[in-house]
Amino acid sequence: MTALLTATLTLAACAGGTPPPKGGDPTDVQAAAPGKATCPATSQSQNRAGAEATNGIRGRSDLPPVRANMLLAEVAAQHACDMAKRGRMTHVGSTTTGPGPRVKARGYAPMLTAENIAAGPFDLPRVLGEWNNSQGHLRNILIPQVRDYGIGQAIAADGKTRFWAAVYAAPRN
């Protein structure tokens, strides 16, 4: 039962600026078998819904709202797809070390980046709720400087395990 619970409720948070320790990502979890993943694009309405949920939490702490940013949603979706293909929930991508390099490669000039990830049978409301009830994830959601937000998902080869990535960023001024 404990192994099943762990497999279905796998979450991790990463704040930008700190590369993963030597040897990789301490939150790296094999959550599904590697294989062909289904990688849908994030819709504007999904990205807006994620930003609105994030702003609900930020508002309770008197923090400014985030903007739904489709470039960050694309970056998040690409990372979710990469995780789903590998079956691994990790902040380290196949070719990148974290969210900062991924957003920079797409032309976003960040002052800071952070990322929340999850793997399991989560739909959008559930994954947002899980992150909102987790101290590590809340730390990313409540970074005062964050202004932009994007979310993405992908489904692993098993057709059940959904990988999520949310990117929080502040542009360099």
Side-chain angles (χ1 to χ4, degrees):
M1 178 68 172
T2 302
L4 177 61
L5 185 59
T6 302
T8 60
L9 298 177
T10 307
L11 306 163
C14 170
T18 307
K22 246 185 179 32
D25 179 0
T27 62
D28 189 328
V29 174
Q30 189 70 45
K36 184 173 171 40
T38 303
C39 302
T42 303
S43 70
Q44 287 186 353
S45 64
Q46 287 172 320
N47 207 37
R48 261 194 317 273
E52 288 169 9
T54 299
N55 288 335
I57 296 295
R58 289 176 64 84
R60 288 184 223 147
S61 296
D62 294 322
L63 292 172
V66 296
R67 300 174 293 234
N69 181 300
M70 288 307 292
L71 176 68
L72 295 184
E74 290 170 17
V75 170
Q78 287 170 350
H79 184 57
C81 186
D82 180 52
M83 290 190 295
K85 287 176 182 175
R86 295 182 293 147
R88 298 193 79 77
M89 187 192 75
T90 176
H91 293 289
V92 177
S94 292
T95 61
T96 59
T97 57
R102 289 192 283 274
V103 301
K104 287 176 187 174
R106 291 298 306 278
Y108 186 100
M111 174 179 69
L112 68 84
T113 60
E115 177 178 76
N116 286 345
I117 56 176
F122 305 121
D123 61 8
L124 181 61
R126 170 86 187 271
V127 77
L128 294 170
E130 294 292 337
W131 287 336
N132 291 343
N133 289 308
S134 159
Q135 284 303 105
H137 297 91
L138 274 175
R139 278 193 290 277
N140 285 343
I141 292 166
L142 298 176
I143 295 171
Q145 298 87 347
V146 167
R147 295 294 176 267
D148 295 318
Y149 167 91
I151 192 164
Q153 65 174 310
I155 303 164
D158 65 9
K160 297 182 271 186
T161 307
R162 194 172 298 260
F163 286 80
W164 289 95
V167 176
Y168 308 85
R172 190 170 304 284
N173 290 332

